[in-house]
Amino acid sequence: MRVVRTVLPPVLVGILAITGWELTVKLGRIAPFILPAPSAIWEQLVEQRSNVFDAALASGANALVGLIGGSVVAVLVAMFASRLSWLADISVPFAAVLNALPIIALAPILNNMFESTSSVPRRLVAGIIAFFPVFINTLRGLREVDPTHRELMDSYAASGWTFARLVRLPGALPYVFTGLRQASSLAVIAAVVAEYFGGLQDGLGARITSAAAFTAYPRAWAFVVGACALGLVFYLTTLLLERLAMPWKARS
């Protein structure tokens, strides 16, 4: 019953929204280039399912590499910065500046730095975008240490690494996964948007722009649905990893 109460409301809202969308387009006779009907998008999604799947795999690979790379660097930098208060205070504004970099400006520059057949630019974009939320949340978690735990480890003459491994990192896990949940969706968005600006034409972003250029708007929306599904998969996977890493939180 708990699962039903959790899952049923958003499902019903989604069904009502799609039904209202379909009726609005059909009865209002809205042009397909403005807003295709869900039925037309579904037809294209079924027809192009293999292409959508292949494109989602390509975009997903770029987003996954960027997410892992950006998250690992963010955690390591946060661990180093948390040891020095002045460095932590300085690094936060720099991270904010990095987060403010627009994808539409960053992607073309990186594409020009590598070969047109390289996936490195898209993965770098995804990694840069994923870095900020993981870094900020991890740094906050590492700095919020219970004074009792600190005194206990000091009484044992624990080294800095031992203190970080036994106290700082376990205590910061909720903050780390908060950042990862944010970064997982952002990495997918960054990877897809980065594909709009040249490079390999094998991802969802390239397929969306190609379909829109040929006025195949229902097909373009079918690839948009694929991008939404990819983002949802990343988010749910992060939630699963959080439950596995912190089973006590799931029980509570």
Side-chain angles (χ1 to χ4, degrees), residues 18-33:
I18 293 175
T19 303
W21 179 357
E22 181 77 21
L23 292 176
T24 301
V25 172
K26 291 295 180 63
L27 298 179
R29 296 184 179 180
I30 299 176
F33 66 88

Side-chain angles (χ1 to χ4, degrees), residues 171-195:
L173 277 180
Y175 296 89
V176 174
F177 278 101
T178 298
L180 284 174
R181 287 198 303 270
Q182 300 171 7
S184 61
S185 300
L186 291 175
V188 174
I189 295 172
V192 172
V193 173
E195 293 167 354

Side-chain angles (χ1 to χ4, degrees), residues 7-56:
V7 175
L8 189 59
V11 170
L12 291 177
V13 171
I15 293 174
L16 290 175
I18 293 175
T19 303
W21 179 357
E22 181 77 21
L23 292 176
T24 301
V25 172
K26 291 295 180 63
L27 298 179
R29 296 184 179 180
I30 299 176
F33 66 88
I34 297 177
L35 185 65
S39 57
I41 297 172
W42 175 255
E43 290 176 1
Q44 285 297 312
L45 187 61
V46 173
E47 181 180 336
Q48 299 287 331
R49 58 186 181 276
S50 60
N51 292 330
V52 173
F53 182 76
D54 293 340

